[in-house]
Amino acid sequence: MPITTFASGEGLAYRPDIFCFPIQIVNVCFIGDPKDEHGGWVLVDAGMPRSAKKIIKAAEERFDFPPKAIILTHGHFDHVGAIIELIEHWNVPVYAHKLELPYLTGKSDYPPADSSVHGGLISEMSPYFPHDGINLDDHVRPLPKDGSIPGMPDWEYIHTPGHTPGHISLFRQDDGTLIAGDAFVTVKQESLYKVMTQEQEISGPPKYFTTDWDKAEKSVNKLAALDPYLAITGHGEPMFGELLKDNLKLLTQKFKEIAVPEQGRYVAEKPH
């Protein structure tokens, strides 16, 4: 897809053990201390199609050792684009929520994108985005039922459905760090201009691919209740401190106004 942000390829460490790496229009995260080979590191999400070489290069510049695992927030094409090549290169297990496994084992396809939500050129282009499931076979495993994350001992995952049935977010309580995936994002993802410039703006999950808005709202409320200090989202630049707190409060209070489109295939009719 010939769309990229001005920040693409320019990774930044937001904590000593958290490196956010933008690839075209999506973020992946390297979680782990580069100086701690024993502790290892984990990759969260797998970027755009044809981005494997860039992810591997960035990882090798930061670490002298391969990851312990790959964790997927969900299976949309821009979050699993390089997954097969990364598995072949590193030979590591992949973990996702059990409700996401049908889309990662070739059993189900995601619903098609909905361009009728409007909001910008990316929404208009969205019917051309891949929505087929992929088959990772026995490389992918369900996350533990207790909320723990393999390879990330200080973290927990939180089931945040709405954007997809098995969408998860990751949270570390010690320092209030949240990896939100697409449960909410910090850019108006439907707008090509705002995506390219990365103009920061609190938003719900990408409208064109979100199929259950009631669950999406509950998921945002659940994440806001954690009172995170730093949020790294699947799209947009990380947001932190009082800015994050104020914006999450705004999003929870005005979710239907800010996040839910006026119309769309997956939108219930709004009351007048």
Side-chain angles (χ1 to χ4, degrees):
M1 186 169 65
I3 301 173
T4 188
T5 72
F6 296 152
S8 180
E10 299 294 329
L12 188 63
Y14 287 87
R15 304 278 194 203
D17 63 343
I18 299 177
F19 187 79
C20 178
F21 185 61
I23 299 173
Q24 287 186 259
I25 63 168
V26 70
N27 299 318
V28 303
C29 291
F30 304 158
I31 308 299
D33 187 340
K35 299 177 182 178
D36 184 8
E37 184 171 356
H38 176 72
W41 69 281
V42 167
L43 176 68
V44 178
D45 284 340
M48 295 286 286
R50 301 186 182 91
S51 66
K53 289 182 179 179
K54 293 179 181 179
I55 294 174
I56 292 168
K57 182 175 184 291
E60 290 178 345
E61 289 174 352
R62 185 165 176 81
F63 300 97
D64 294 326
F65 42 94
K68 288 186 170 183
I70 299 172
I71 310 297
L72 297 177
T73 61
H74 61 299
H76 280 154
F77 81 100
D78 50 341
H79 292 257
V80 301
I83 190 69
I84 293 174
E85 295 95 327
L86 295 177
I87 291 171
E88 291 175 348
H89 182 79
W90 284 321
N91 190 27
V92 294
V94 178
Y95 293 92
H97 193 277
K98 65 178 181 180
L99 294 180
E100 207 71 4
L101 293 188
Y103 309 101
L104 300 171
T105 54
K107 295 178 181 178
S108 299
D109 294 333
Y110 289 104
D114 182 9
S115 62
S116 69
V117 298
H118 301 308
L121 187 56
I122 291 185
S123 289
E124 299 299 321
M125 296 169 58
S126 65
Y128 299 100
F129 297 166
H131 64 92
D132 297 339
I134 61 174
N135 189 1
L136 301 181
D137 200 28
D138 58 358
H139 290 286
V140 65
R141 307 171 186 179
L143 284 160
K145 295 180 180 180
D146 63 2
S148 63
I149 307 173
M152 300 176 67
D154 299 328
W155 296 73
E156 63 177 317
Y157 77 84
I158 299 149
H159 185 208
T160 47
H163 188 56
T164 69
H167 188 286
I168 62 164
S169 303
L170 290 64
F171 185 63
R172 183 164 66 184
Q173 187 172 6
D174 288 351
D175 59 6
T177 299
L178 173 68
I179 299 175
D182 284 0
F184 68 91
V185 297
T186 57
V187 66
K188 185 175 171 56
Q189 188 61 23
E190 300 77 26
S191 165
L192 177 60
Y193 173 78
K194 292 188 176 182
V195 165
M196 291 180 66
T197 61
Q198 291 291 276
E199 180 179 327
Q200 201 167 53
E201 176 181 348
I202 197 73
S203 185
K207 293 179 174 67
Y208 45 83
F209 262 153
T210 300
T211 54
D212 192 322
W213 287 101
D214 287 339
K215 289 183 179 177
E217 181 174 11
K218 291 176 182 176
S219 292
V220 166
N221 290 337
K222 189 186 301 184
L223 295 180
L226 297 173
D227 193 24
Y229 180 80
L230 166 66
I232 299 174
T233 58
H235 305 275
E237 295 184 350
M239 187 178 286
F240 55 91
E242 289 300 315
L243 180 63
L244 173 61
K245 184 175 183 176
D246 291 345
N247 274 271
L248 271 179
K249 182 178 180 180
L250 177 67
L251 183 59
T252 57
Q253 291 177 341
K254 297 187 175 182
F255 185 85
K256 289 180 174 60
E257 297 173 38
I258 295 173
V260 183
E262 288 293 328
Q263 62 183 37
R265 181 182 301 160
Y266 310 115
V267 181
E269 185 176 350
K270 289 186 175 183
H272 296 291

